[in-house]
Amino acid sequence: MAGGYLFLLLVIILNVSSSFQTSNTVNPCCYFPCQHKGICVRYDPDDYECDCTRTGYYGKNCTIPELWTRIREFVRPSPSFTYYMLTHYKWVWDIINNSFIRDTIVRLVLTVRATLIPSPPTYNSAYSYLSWEAYSNVSYFTRVLPSVPDNCPTPMGTKGKLQLPDATLLVETFLKREKFIPDPQNTNLMFAFFAQHFTHQFFKTYGRMGRGFTKGLGHGVDLSHVYGDNLERQYALRLFKDGKLKHQIINGDMYPPTVVEAPIHMVYPENIPKDKRFAMGQEVFGLLPGLMMYATIWLREHNRVCDVLRKEHPVWDDEQLFQTARLILIGETIKIVVEDYVQHLSGYYLKLKFDPELLFSSQFQYRNRIAVEFNQLYHWHPLMPDQFNILGQLYNYSSFIYNTSMLTDYGVEALVESFTNQIAGKIGGGKNLHPRLVEIAVGVIEESRKLRLQSFNQYRKQFGLKAYTSFQDFTGETEMSSQLESLYGDIDALEFYPGMLLEKTHQNAIFGESMIEIGAPFSLKGLMGNPICSPEYWKPSTFGGETGFNIVKTASIEKLVCLNIKKCPFVAFHVPKAEESSISEGTKTTDEL
C-alpha cells in the first residue's frame, strides 16, 4: 500500500516537472532559424524542420546554396547598384527610352518585382500556416510573412527587450515634425492627395470585424472609391440614364451630388448641413478638399466617357454604358499610376510603360490580394504640409478639414493650380509628421503589434535585401541610432513601420531603399495583376472599341484634369520647374492632349 502511494507521488512529481519544462521550452520557430524563405515547421516542443523546397538552398536551416543559386547570386546586381544605375546617366537612358531595349527592361522590372509577392496568397492574421481559409477568405488582408509565433520570449521572437517601446514615445521622438522638411524630389500636393484618394479604394481596414480584416471584397484597382464598394451604394450614386453618375451643377460646373440627392452614409461633422455634404464613393472623402477635388474630377471623367460611348454606341443601354465606362476609368487609373505616379516616385531615368502585352509571354496570375504589410507601409502622412496655400490664402488644418465649400468657392482649376505649386513633405528619414497627424502613426504602430508583424529586418530578407547589422548602419547617423538602440535593444527587434519611415534615405530622394524595394512589388503586382491587363480583357471590345481603348492607352494625369476643366493649368505630380511654370493657362487644346 505504501509502495502504491510512493508510486503515485512519483508520477505527480514527474508530471509537474514535465509541465514546467514544457512551459519554459521556447518554440524554436521564435528564433526564425529558416533562412532564404524556408518554412519553419514545429514538431516536438524543441524540435523543428525547415522546408527548403524551391528556395535554391538546402541544409537544416536552408543556408547552403545550390550550384545555380551560387551562380545567380554572383551575377545578380545588388538593389543599391540597380537603383544607382536607374537614377544616373540620363543621356544613356534617353537613348534606351527611344529604342526596343526599353520594352525588355520594363518587362524585366515588372516580372522581377511581381515574383516577390506570393501568388496565390499565403497567410492572414488568423492563420500563420497555409490553409484554405487563408487563401479563400477575402474578408482578410493577406500577409507576406506569418505572425510572430505565440508565446515567444520577446515581442519580435527572441531578439530585443521584453517589452516594445511606448508607441506614442516613438512617434513623438522620431516621427513628429520639428520643422517642415520639403521633399527633395519636388513632390507636390497633387501627388499627395492622389495617393490618398487612389489608395482608399483598397486600403479599407475594418476594425469592427477584428484584426486584419478589410471592408468590402475588392483587393485592387476597382474604383470602389468612385462607385462605392457595394451595389446599394453604387445604385444610390448612379443616375440610371446614359450610364452616368448623379451630379449637381454649380456655377456651370459639375460636382458630386449631395447626400440629399444620393442618400448614402458619409462621414461629416454634425454641424455641416446635409445640402452641403457631398456624396462620394468613399465615405471619408469629405474630410479634405483635395479628396473632394479628385472625386469631382473622376465623376466628370466618368460622365464624359459615357458621352463618348453613347455617341459610338447609340444602341447600348444604361447598364452597358456604365459598366464599360467603369472599365475604361480603371484602365486610365492604372496607366496614370504607372507612367505618372510611380514614374515620379521612382526617380528612374528609365521611362516606365503601361503595356499589359509585355507580360503575355510570361506566366502571370491576374488576381491580387492586398497585404497587411502594404497597408502599413503606405501611411505617407509626412507628405502633408504645415498649412495649405490656396491662391495665396493660407489655411491651417482646422480651417481646411471638412471645408466642403472650398471646392465650389474656388473651383477645381484653382485647387489643381494651388496643389500643383505647393511642395509636399519628405516621407523618409523621420521627424516630418505634422503634430495633428501623430495619433494616426501611433495607431499604425499599435495595430502592427496586435497583428504581431515580424521585424523590419525579417522583411528586408524576405524581399532580397541584406539585414542591417546595427542601428547606425540603418539610420546613417549616430544620435537617432543611439536612441533607437536604447529603446529596442537589438536591430533585429526594430518594428516594420518605424523601420520603413526612419531608414536613411537615398540621396535627394523621398525615402529609403526598403520603401522602394518592398513597396514597388506590391504596387506593380496589384496594378498589372488587374483583370483588365489579362489577355482575355486587354482588347478593344472590352472598352467599347478603338475609341475607348485609345482613351485608356493615352491617359495621363494632365489629360484627366484638363479634359474636365475649362482652362488647363500646368498639371503634374511635381512642383513645376522654372521652364515649366512659364506655360500659360488655356494654351493646350483637346487635340494636343
Side-chain angles (χ1 to χ4, degrees), residues 352-372:
L352 299 178
K353 183 179 183 181
F354 173 56
D355 182 1
E357 294 184 24
L358 292 175
L359 296 174
F360 285 178
S361 60
S362 307
Q363 287 187 336
F364 199 81
Q365 295 194 17
Y366 295 96
R367 188 189 181 196
N368 187 57
R369 285 279 293 279
I370 298 299
V372 161

Side-chain angles (χ1 to χ4, degrees), residues 55 95 127 152 161 176 178 230-231 264 273 277 340 368 375 397 400 412 427 444 502 505 541 554 559 584:
T55 64
I95 296 172
Y127 293 90
C152 290
K161 300 190 175 183
K176 185 178 177 181
E178 296 174 354
N230 58 72
L231 278 179
I264 57 175
R277 301 181 187 184
D340 288 323
N368 187 57
N375 188 13
Y397 280 75
F400 190 74
V412 171
I427 296 172
V444 175
L502 298 177
T505 61
S541 57
T554 61
K559 284 188 68 174
S584 61

Side-chain angles (χ1 to χ4, degrees), residues 127-186:
Y127 293 90
S128 293
Y129 49 86
L130 295 188
S131 66
W132 187 256
E133 181 70 13
Y135 163 76
S136 63
N137 191 342
V138 296
S139 297
Y140 279 96
F141 288 113
T142 187
R143 293 177 69 138
V144 172
L145 289 180
S147 305
V148 174
D150 287 318
N151 303 319
C152 290
T154 72
M156 288 293 128
T158 59
K159 299 292 184 71
K161 300 190 175 183
L162 297 178
Q163 189 171 356
L164 290 169
D166 178 74
T168 301
L169 174 65
L170 282 174
V171 175
E172 292 279 349
T173 305
F174 302 108
L175 295 180
K176 185 178 177 181
R177 178 176 296 161
E178 296 174 354
K179 181 181 178 182
F180 176 73
I181 306 171
D183 170 43
Q185 290 181 217
N186 285 320

Side-chain angles (χ1 to χ4, degrees), residues 1 6 18 46 70 94 104 109 123 158 182 201 253 258 391 424:
M1 193 71 175
L6 287 174
S18 174
D46 57 355
R70 292 179 187 272
D94 286 342
T104 302
V109 169
Y123 313 105
T158 59
Q201 66 189 298
D253 291 322
T258 67
L391 298 184

Side-chain angles (χ1 to χ4, degrees), residues 27 71 108 116 144 236 248 257 286 289 299 301 345 385 426 433 464 496 573:
N27 179 349
I71 296 172
L108 183 63
L116 292 171
V144 172
Q248 59 175 318
L299 164 68
E301 176 66 1
L345 203 59
K426 184 179 181 181
L433 182 69
F496 179 69
F573 286 140

